[in-house]
Amino acid sequence: LYHHELLHALGSAVATKIDDFNPRDLATSLWALASLQAHDLKLVEKLSTKAASRSRSLNTQDLSSALWALATLRSDPVGPAHAFCEEVAKKSPGHLGPQALSTILWAVASL
């Protein structure tokens, strides 16, 4: 179900409350926008930049979701995606589960 007016209103609410979001909220919001194919580039940029600034607090699932979202939306990968990739590397990729590994590999290949 895609409702443009509702999505716009929710996007505005997210933008005003973004400082209250925890790292998982940020990653989940990016994932949701990508799932909806919502190309609100300003909102994606705000969410991804804020998530990148808190990347140390993201777990591997959140990192893979955020990378997947940026790749799905074909968002500018330079800043936030690089920060997410660096954090994945620090978190010992050998301990990632199959789903996170495959999602991250696909995202990196797509970016």
Side-chain angles (χ1 to χ4, degrees):
L1 176 66
Y2 186 88
H3 192 279
H4 181 73
E5 292 170 10
L6 175 60
L7 189 59
H8 180 72
L10 289 171
S12 295
V14 167
T16 60
K17 296 178 189 251
I18 197 166
D19 290 332
D20 298 331
F21 279 40
N22 66 42
R24 168 151 284 175
D25 296 334
L26 297 165
T28 301
S29 296
L30 283 169
W31 173 86
L33 288 171
S35 295
L36 290 167
Q37 289 293 308
H39 293 276
D40 183 339
L41 298 180
K42 288 181 183 177
L43 183 56
V44 169
E45 183 180 337
K46 284 181 184 179
L47 285 165
S48 61
T49 299
K50 183 63 82 170
S53 73
R54 298 181 184 173
S55 62
R56 288 184 182 173
S57 300
L58 293 170
N59 65 34
T60 54
Q61 181 62 46
D62 295 335
L63 288 163
S64 67
S65 294
L67 281 165
W68 176 85
L70 293 179
T72 298
L73 292 169
R74 306 233 184 262
S75 181
D76 180 9
V78 175
H82 184 72
F84 299 146
C85 288
E86 283 184 352
E87 197 58 39
V88 167
K90 290 177 188 174
K91 292 186 184 290
S92 187
H95 293 100
L96 295 172
Q99 182 179 1
L101 277 171
S102 61
T103 300
I104 291 167
L105 284 169
W106 176 84
V108 170
S110 297
L111 291 168

